[in-house]
Amino acid sequence: MRRPRRSPASLWRDPRFVRCWAGSAVSQFGDRVSEVAVPLVAVGVLHASAGQVAWLTALAWAPNLLATVLGVWVDQRPDKRRLLIATDVVRAAVLLTVPVAYLCGTLTLGQLYAVTLGVGFAGVLAGCAWSPFFARLVPSSAYVEANSKFGTARSASFVAGPALGGGLVQVLTAPVAVVADALSFLASALLLRGVRLDAAPLAAQHGLRKEPLLRGAREGLAFVLREPVLRAGLACTTTLNFFTLLTGTGLVVLFADRILQLPPGVSV
């Protein structure tokens, strides 16, 4: 017997979904603030060159090259919620080192590189853990509705987030504005902590294989390349990301700051 179709507002009555959605939305807005604030720290505080800003952008995306290997490791972890909370806490702690070092007068470009790389790795782990967590959080009949709600929050963050980030930088200075992203990750961790999911089925628990990471990554990549839809999606995403990174946020911020001499509030 088919289940009755859920009403459009049904997920808003699920406290677990609301907590996850709120945590994701807050974190997305925090990310947009950091995407503006971190390059401005490099450009305005550390006087980075165009090449150094380019390296900063590259390091932010470099962990994605290991996504297949990290994905295999994440699949072997039974508690995805705990992993998501851990990645939120790690990113908050790493980001908070930027304003602390700035206030102590010890901030360096090397530290900014390390922070960017660390946040990137934690972000990839969180991305790998999110899909299986989402599948247990939301019933299959509500996948489209839930994705729509998460997608709306993400789109809103891309529209309003950079302006919010620029405004915070202008009022607080770039290193202090990074605190906003750190706080957003802490808020996400606290919200996720209150989410309790049913235990995974025994069959799923027994299905967790401790296979070598590289072999699992090869099998996953081979599967993607064999499937026409997944292969096309991978090619499309790779092409889009490559050309987007050529004019990434860091270089736009550099151009707006050094050439156009715009204040942070209107430079993005």
Side-chain angles (χ1 to χ4, degrees), residues 20-105:
C20 289
W21 181 89
S24 175
V26 170
S27 180
Q28 291 284 346
F29 273 89
D31 284 344
R32 303 294 84 78
V33 171
S34 272
E35 286 172 4
V36 175
V38 171
L40 279 172
V41 172
V43 172
V45 177
L46 301 175
H47 310 291
S49 66
Q52 290 169 329
V53 174
W55 272 109
L56 193 66
T57 303
L59 287 172
W61 287 86
N64 288 276
L65 296 173
L66 298 175
T68 51
V69 176
L70 295 176
V72 173
W73 182 83
V74 168
D75 281 344
Q76 296 173 356
R77 311 274 79 77
D79 193 342
K80 305 300 189 292
R81 183 186 68 93
R82 183 175 298 178
L83 181 58
L84 286 169
I85 293 173
T87 57
D88 279 342
V89 173
V90 167
R91 283 181 285 185
V94 169
L95 284 167
L96 283 174
T97 65
V98 174
V100 169
Y102 170 71
L103 294 174
C104 294

Side-chain angles (χ1 to χ4, degrees), residues 154-171:
R154 178 176 173 81
S155 298
S157 76
F158 276 101
V159 173
L164 174 63
L168 287 175
V169 168
Q170 191 162 327
V171 173

Side-chain angles (χ1 to χ4, degrees), residues 5-267:
R5 193 169 181 176
R6 299 169 68 93
S7 64
S10 59
L11 286 176
W12 294 129
R13 295 196 292 268
D14 183 346
R16 299 182 308 173
F17 175 83
V18 172
R19 292 180 73 92
C20 289
W21 181 89
S24 175
V26 170
S27 180
Q28 291 284 346
F29 273 89
D31 284 344
R32 303 294 84 78
V33 171
S34 272
E35 286 172 4
V36 175
V38 171
L40 279 172
V41 172
V43 172
V45 177
L46 301 175
H47 310 291
S49 66
Q52 290 169 329
V53 174
W55 272 109
L56 193 66
T57 303
L59 287 172
W61 287 86
N64 288 276
L65 296 173
L66 298 175
T68 51
V69 176
L70 295 176
V72 173
W73 182 83
V74 168
D75 281 344
Q76 296 173 356
R77 311 274 79 77
D79 193 342
K80 305 300 189 292
R81 183 186 68 93
R82 183 175 298 178
L83 181 58
L84 286 169
I85 293 173
T87 57
D88 279 342
V89 173
V90 167
R91 283 181 285 185
V94 169
L95 284 167
L96 283 174
T97 65
V98 174
V100 169
Y102 170 71
L103 294 174
C104 294
T106 58
L107 183 63
T108 64
L109 197 58
Q111 179 184 345
L112 207 59
Y113 285 159
V115 166
T116 301
L117 191 61
V119 170
F121 269 112
V124 172
L125 286 173
C128 293
W130 175 252
S131 293
F133 176 80
F134 175 89
R136 291 188 55 207
L137 173 71
V138 179
S140 58
S141 59
Y143 280 175
V144 174
E145 177 190 346
N147 270 315
S148 174
K149 287 176 168 54
F150 280 111
T152 299
R154 178 176 173 81
S155 298
S157 76
F158 276 101
V159 173
L164 174 63
L168 287 175
V169 168
Q170 191 162 327
V171 173
L172 303 175
T173 72
V176 179
V178 174
V179 174
D181 194 13
L183 292 177
S184 75
F185 283 123
L186 290 178
S188 175
L190 288 173
L191 288 166
L192 282 173
R193 190 180 178 188
V195 175
R196 292 290 183 267
L197 299 181
D198 297 331
L202 290 177
Q205 295 181 26
H206 293 319
L208 295 173
R209 298 181 300 162
K210 299 291 184 179
E211 63 178 346
L213 296 183
L214 291 180
R215 187 176 72 184
R218 285 197 303 269
E219 291 175 355
L221 183 60
F223 175 78
V224 170
L225 295 178
R226 282 197 306 268
E227 295 293 326
V229 175
L230 295 178
R231 185 172 63 244
L234 176 63
C236 176
T237 303
T238 302
T239 304
L240 178 64
N241 286 339
F242 176 78
F243 286 102
T244 299
L245 285 175
L246 290 180
T247 56
T249 303
L251 294 178
V252 171
V253 168
L254 179 68
F255 177 75
D257 181 80
R258 299 244 174 106
I259 306 302
L260 301 180
Q261 298 183 344
L262 296 175
V266 296
S267 63

